[in-house]
C-alpha cells in the first residue's frame, strides 16, 4: 500500500492572510486576545499585572490564567467590573463570563543576544584588507565587519 501525498505549492503570506480561511480567523482571534489582555492588565492593580494572562475565548467565556490561585480568587470577586471593562472594547460585547484556570505560566523571554566585539587592531586590519580588495561585494563585507571594531584608545 502506498500513500500518495499531494504536494502543495508555497504561497505568499499576504495571500494566505487575505483569504477568509482558518489563518485569517486565527490571526483575528490572536489580536482580540492580545487586546483583551492589554485592556484588562491596564485596569488591574500593579502587583497583579504580570501574573494574569488571557488564555482564549470559547463559547462566550474568556479564559483567564494565572500561576497562583490567590490572584484568580481576587478576580472572581471583580468579575462584574471586569466584564464591564471588556464590554467597552469592540468585539467583546458577547463575553458573558470568565473561566479561571491555575496553570504554570512561563512568560516568553527574548533570547540574549550573543554580541561579539572586535579589537581596534582587528578593525584596522580588516579596513586595510578592504582597501586592497578589488571585488566590490567582498570590499563592502570587509568594511561592514571593520565597522564593528572598538574605537582605538
Amino acid at each position: 500500500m502506498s500513500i500518495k501525498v499531494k504536494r502543495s505549492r508555497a504561497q505568499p503570506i499576504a495571500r494566505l492572510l487575505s483569504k477568509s480561511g482558518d489563518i485569517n480567523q486565527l490571526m483575528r482571534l490572536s489580536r482580540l486576545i492580545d487586546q483583551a489582555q492589554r485592556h484588562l492588565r491596564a485596569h488591574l492593580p500593579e502587583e497583579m499585572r504580570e501574573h494574569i494572562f488571557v488564555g482564549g475565548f470559547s463559547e462566550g467565556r474568556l479564559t483567564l490564567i494565572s500561576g497562583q490561585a490567590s490572584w484568580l480568587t481576587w478576580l472572581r470577586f471583580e468579575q462584574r467590573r471586569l466584564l464591564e471593562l471588556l464590554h467597552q472594547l469592540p468585539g467583546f460585547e458577547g463575553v458573558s463570563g470568565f473561566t479561571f484556570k491555575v496553570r504554570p505560566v512561563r512568560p516568553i523571554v527574548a533570547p540574549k543576544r550573543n554580541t561579539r566585539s572586535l579589537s581596534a587592531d582587528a578593525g584596522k586590519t580588516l579596513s586595510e584588507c578592504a582597501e586592497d580588495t578589488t571585488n566590490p561585494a567582498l570590499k563592502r563585507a570587509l568594511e561592514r565587519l571593520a565597522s564593528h571594531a572598538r574605537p582605538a584608545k
Side-chain angles (χ1 to χ4, degrees):
M1 179 167 101
S2 68
I3 299 174
K4 295 185 179 181
V5 177
K6 181 180 177 183
R7 294 183 186 246
S8 60
R9 299 189 190 269
Q11 297 180 23
I13 192 73
R15 183 182 306 155
L16 291 172
L17 293 177
S18 66
K19 292 181 182 178
S20 62
D22 293 337
I23 294 176
N24 193 18
Q25 291 173 353
L26 182 64
M27 295 295 289
R28 181 180 173 277
L29 182 61
S30 173
R31 280 191 293 271
L32 285 173
I33 288 173
D34 182 54
Q35 182 182 11
Q37 181 163 316
R38 283 188 277 117
H39 190 66
L40 285 176
R41 280 186 170 179
H43 292 89
L44 290 175
E46 187 72 34
E47 63 274 4
M48 283 185 74
R49 291 180 184 170
E50 62 188 41
H51 301 284
I52 305 300
F53 298 90
V54 175
F57 179 73
S58 176
E59 299 173 6
R61 298 183 66 81
L62 199 66
T63 302
L64 298 179
I65 300 173
S66 178
Q68 295 178 356
S70 59
W71 299 121
L72 295 179
T73 301
W74 186 87
L75 289 176
R76 282 187 180 93
F77 288 107
E78 294 291 319
Q79 282 186 68
R80 180 170 288 147
R81 184 178 71 86
L82 294 176
L83 272 176
E84 289 172 3
L85 286 170
L86 271 180
H87 289 157
Q88 294 172 357
L89 294 173
F92 289 96
E93 298 85 10
V95 176
S96 60
F98 296 104
T99 303
F100 300 103
K101 293 188 178 184
V102 178
R103 299 285 189 268
V105 178
R106 286 179 234 110
I108 298 172
V109 178
K112 294 179 182 176
R113 290 191 65 181
N114 185 11
T115 57
R116 297 184 179 122
S117 59
L118 294 174
S119 66
D121 291 337
K124 181 180 174 190
T125 304
L126 286 170
S127 295
E128 290 171 357
C129 287
E131 290 173 8
D132 296 337
T133 303
T134 57
N135 183 331
L138 180 58
K139 184 173 189 157
R140 283 192 306 273
L142 288 170
E143 288 170 346
R144 266 195 325 267
L145 282 172
S147 71
H148 294 290
R150 284 179 267 155
K153 292 180 182 179

